[in-house]
Amino acid sequence: MDTQIKLFENKKVRTLWDKETEEWFFSVVDVVAVLTDSPNPNNYWKVLKNRLKKEGSQLVTNCNQLKMPAADGKMYKTDCMNVAQLFRLIQSIPSPKAEPFKLWMAQVAKERIDEMQDPEQGIQRALLEYRALGYSDAWINQRLKSIEIRKDLTDEWKKHGLKEGVQFATLTDIIYKTWAGKTAKEYKEFKGLKKENLRDNMTNKELVLNMLAELSTKEISENSNPQDFNDHIQNAVDGATIAKNARMELEQKTGKKVVTSLNARDGIILSIDANASENNSGEN
């Protein structure tokens, strides 16, 4: 399953694409937050769910509990519904946003089907979403390339039977720790992030070096044909070391730290020309 964040009127809605059923699932609490503007959407949904149960609605019974990222970045089970179920739920929520939200859901579903036929459309959609958030074209180009390289690496891992979750996270942490000196959690804390995506808060230089680390890891894996997880760990170290050496040489030549505390909130989306900010950043 592919978990993503979609935007509706600048509000985040957690979504999940089920490859087997080819259906979108949406976080019910996020949908409630959008439609009601409630200060406590969790409580709103709890009350509504109890009322629907008392009315004998099958909607609550058929509600799926799927793992999605929470505010702390961890994956927790949350109530989710597919498009058809959400259409029924919306009928129980009086909201002037109901019809626009229905159209938005239908468009999201259509886009995914279109992207399956033409992946270039997915890239174009991501570009527009980043632009809407205020990122520069220079940064967006790097970010989209980083997504492509990351997918190439995870496809290589999947080819060797590795599983998403603990194994992917472990290897990713090794890559970060080797080239940047920080695990993903440490990196996010350094940038003052909580639920935000780490790569969406990297500077151009950070993105480029992380791409180099992941590209190198993938190329080494293809060449070495790893037999067990320990082999993948060594490949991750070797690949990320190439990026580490590049980082150290760049820092030596420029006198500027590559890994910085700069994040999107503090200026990446305003200007990728962040040299002044990097000069004042903390040690890596």
Side-chain angles (χ1 to χ4, degrees):
M1 291 188 175
D2 177 17
T3 303
Q4 298 182 20
I5 301 291
K6 301 291 186 182
L7 295 177
F8 175 78
E9 295 184 349
N10 292 323
K11 290 188 176 180
K12 293 181 178 180
V13 179
R14 289 169 294 171
T15 64
L16 188 148
W17 175 256
D18 188 330
K19 296 178 182 178
E20 293 186 6
T21 63
E22 295 191 351
E23 281 188 298
W24 275 115
F25 286 88
F26 298 77
S27 164
V28 177
V29 170
D30 293 352
V31 171
V32 168
V34 168
L35 294 178
T36 67
D37 291 322
S38 170
N40 193 337
N42 284 286
N43 189 59
Y44 189 106
W45 169 232
K46 181 179 179 181
V47 172
L48 177 58
K49 184 161 57 172
N50 287 334
R51 177 169 68 81
L52 292 172
K53 282 182 179 178
K54 290 178 181 179
E55 294 174 355
S57 172
Q58 292 297 311
L59 186 62
V60 176
T61 304
N62 296 330
C63 188
N64 295 272
Q65 281 254 314
L66 301 173
K67 284 189 175 182
M68 286 189 167
D72 61 4
K74 296 181 180 178
M75 302 292 285
Y76 296 101
K77 286 187 176 181
T78 186
D79 288 339
C80 297
M81 292 183 180
N82 61 24
V83 173
Q85 291 169 327
L86 278 180
F87 280 154
R88 293 173 58 195
L89 175 66
I90 290 171
Q91 294 172 0
S92 303
I93 302 176
S95 170
K97 295 183 180 179
E99 189 59 30
F101 193 80
K102 288 180 181 179
L103 294 174
W104 175 81
M105 285 194 303
Q107 182 62 27
V108 167
K110 178 181 182 301
E111 286 173 355
R112 183 64 187 211
I113 299 300
D114 290 344
E115 289 165 17
M116 291 172 65
Q117 301 298 322
D118 182 5
E120 186 175 340
Q121 292 190 28
I123 296 173
Q124 182 65 24
R125 176 183 53 77
L127 186 152
L128 294 175
E129 289 179 357
Y130 279 122
R131 278 181 179 165
L133 291 171
Y135 288 90
S136 75
D137 285 349
W139 183 92
I140 292 171
N141 289 335
Q142 295 288 8
R143 183 68 180 98
L144 295 180
K145 190 64 180 177
S146 76
I147 293 172
E148 177 187 343
I149 289 175
R150 174 67 180 180
K151 186 178 184 304
D152 287 344
L153 175 59
T154 56
D155 284 348
E156 171 67 14
W157 286 343
K158 288 177 184 177
K159 186 176 73 175
H160 289 279
L162 299 190
K163 303 297 183 183
E164 295 183 55
V166 175
Q167 289 186 319
F168 277 27
T170 298
L171 293 174
T172 300
D173 265 348
I174 289 170
I175 290 172
Y176 281 140
K177 187 71 174 181
T178 301
W179 84 259
K182 304 177 189 300
T183 64
K185 181 179 179 181
E186 292 167 345
Y187 210 155
K188 291 183 73 170
E189 289 176 349
F190 180 61
K191 285 182 174 287
L193 308 176
K194 293 182 180 178
K195 63 180 179 179
E196 299 94 335
N197 183 288
L198 175 57
R199 297 171 197 227
D200 283 352
N201 287 273
M202 287 183 175
T203 64
N204 264 339
K205 285 187 286 188
E206 289 172 306
L207 280 173
V208 168
L209 285 173
N210 195 63
M211 283 191 283
L212 176 59
E214 294 191 329
L215 175 64
S216 300
T217 300
K218 190 264 295 185
E219 295 282 339
I220 292 170
S221 177
E222 288 179 335
N223 188 61
S224 65
N225 191 27
Q227 299 301 308
D228 55 32
F229 193 62
N230 286 333
D231 288 344
H232 286 285
I233 290 175
Q234 187 59 54
N235 289 342
V237 171
D238 292 344
T241 297
I242 295 172
K244 175 187 176 182
N245 293 336
R247 173 182 65 78
M248 293 174 65
E249 184 173 356
L250 179 60
E251 289 176 341
Q252 183 180 19
K253 296 290 186 182
T254 64
K256 300 174 184 178
K257 291 293 183 182
V258 169
V259 178
T260 79
S261 58
L262 190 69
N263 56 42
R265 181 181 63 251
D266 293 335
I268 289 178
I269 64 174
L270 299 177
S271 173
I272 302 304
D273 185 15
N275 291 332
S277 297
E278 291 177 8
N279 287 335
N280 296 323
S281 66
E283 297 296 318
N284 93 357

